[in-house]
Amino acid sequence: MTYLMDKIQTEYGYSDYQIRLIRFTFTAVLYDISKVFLFAIYFYLTGKLMEFLFAVVPLILLRTKTGGMHMQKYWSCLVFSFAYIYTCINILPHIITVPCLFVFLILLMCAVIDYCIGPTSLKKKPSECKDFIQKAKMQTFQVIFFVAVLFFIFPKNQYLFISFWTVVLHTLQLSITKILKEVNYCEKLA
């Protein structure tokens, strides 16, 4: 990797900072791809690949727009992500039955909550421009609205319950992230 980064730096004249950003982005993408690949293998072997897809697609769409909790190490992220997806697929749909009317109301609540508090992350990032934030909020709202529309069209589809729980857990972890961020900010002021 060092050889590749050195070659890119000399070829294009990037600064050390720009190379660090490229390396970070490349590493993050590889980590995320490896996690999705490992999860896909597991759920394929357990006969739940379709369920996995209905959990991971909305999750990726929501996480890339609104952020959320991030773990410091790859392994903790891997375990947390697996537990998250496993819960959406194998636990929540089987232990909590939600009538269709309440699904729509909960999805509407999630859309409003995500719109109001997203994007957020515990990581220290420079403030995004207002246009980016507004666009991310609208895209998140649209993703959740799309899940609600699919649920309206196919109310008995078992896979959509997995997408529903993915949205609910995402909103919950996004809310927790926002609270933790506020607590950290208040502690720094004290």
Side-chain angles (χ1 to χ4, degrees), residues 9 21 32 47 70 93-94 105 119 125 133 144 156:
Q9 188 170 22
L21 285 177
D32 286 343
H70 296 279
H94 301 289
L105 292 173
K125 289 196 252 183
I133 291 171
I144 298 172
K156 302 291 185 204

Side-chain angles (χ1 to χ4, degrees), residues 39-56:
F39 297 161
I41 290 171
Y42 172 81
F43 286 107
Y44 172 77
L45 292 175
T46 59
K48 297 202 175 211
L49 184 61
M50 188 62 72
E51 289 88 342
F52 169 71
L53 294 174
F54 273 82
V56 80

Side-chain angles (χ1 to χ4, degrees), residues 28-43:
V29 169
L30 281 180
Y31 282 177
D32 286 343
I33 290 172
S34 71
K35 285 188 299 187
V36 170
F37 182 70
L38 289 172
F39 297 161
I41 290 171
Y42 172 81
F43 286 107

Side-chain angles (χ1 to χ4, degrees), residues 4-26:
L4 179 63
M5 291 297 123
D6 290 343
K7 185 170 173 78
I8 290 172
Q9 188 170 22
T10 55
E11 181 93 14
Y12 297 103
Y14 290 137
S15 68
D16 289 341
Y17 175 73
Q18 289 171 318
I19 291 297
R20 283 195 305 273
L21 285 177
I22 292 169
R23 183 184 307 249
F24 174 80
T25 302
F26 185 70

